[in-house]
Amino acid sequence: MTSPASPPSPEAAYATAPQLHLEGDDLVRLRRSMPKREWLLRWGALADRQTLTAHPDDGKAQTGALRPIQKLIAFDTEHGTASGPVHPDDAQWVVFPRGYVRQEYLAWAAEQEAAAQAGSVPHRGHDGELYDGDGRAL
């Protein structure tokens, strides 16, 4: 049986992602107040993005990227919280777990964009600053 969808490319998945240092700062600052799944997702995506240019044989870099992604897959499998079209227990994620975080980040980013358009969640402005749902800088 084939999976219904291929994972998105890093360029597609992270097209609207903040700069690496801004995302890292947000994750450190918001860890305790952010829902666990969102934190795991963003941490996994950050690790994936940070190692996109690492050599495939660089075990340290690859292991560092895979650890948070595997935690996200385990969380989504246990809690049924996946948003993307391919479920976390699909065999393709055993072979290519980085594709899972890309799929989930793309789905999450679309949800965030829709919520930001509705003015209901914090979001990054074009200036890189974080704003609340009312447009005030955080």
Side-chain angles (χ1 to χ4, degrees), residues 41-117:
L41 171 64
R42 290 174 64 183
W43 178 38
L46 178 64
D48 183 37
R49 292 171 60 208
Q50 289 173 324
T51 57
L52 287 173
T53 59
H55 193 278
D57 294 335
D58 183 346
K60 186 175 181 180
Q62 300 307 323
T63 300
L66 292 177
R67 188 174 299 118
I69 295 168
Q70 289 165 337
K71 287 184 179 200
L72 172 67
I73 291 171
F75 184 89
D76 282 353
T77 299
E78 180 179 345
H79 298 282
T81 49
S83 297
V86 182
H87 293 190
D89 59 355
D90 191 273
Q92 75 174 299
W93 308 135
V94 174
V95 177
F96 187 58
R98 292 172 81 135
Y100 182 74
V101 76
R102 294 172 190 170
Q103 167 191 274
E104 293 301 304
Y105 192 89
L106 184 61
W108 175 81
E111 291 167 6
Q112 294 300 301
E113 179 63 27
Q117 293 292 330

Side-chain angles (χ1 to χ4, degrees), residues 19 21-22 26 30-31 35 37-38 44 47-48 57 60-61 64 72 76-77 79 84 91 101 110 113 123 131 136-137:
Q19 295 175 2
H21 73 280
L22 294 173
D26 282 353
L30 301 172
R31 176 155 197 216
R37 192 217 184 237
E38 181 180 347
D48 183 37
D57 294 335
K60 186 175 181 180
L72 172 67
D76 282 353
T77 299
H79 298 282
V101 76
E113 179 63 27
H123 63 282
Y131 293 91
R136 293 182 299 245

Side-chain angles (χ1 to χ4, degrees), residues 16-19 21-23 25-26 29 42 123-131 137-138:
T16 61
Q19 295 175 2
H21 73 280
L22 294 173
E23 182 71 339
D25 290 349
D26 282 353
R29 187 169 36 88
R42 290 174 64 183
H123 63 282
R124 285 225 178 261
H126 295 290
D127 58 2
E129 291 295 319
L130 193 60
Y131 293 91
L138 295 176

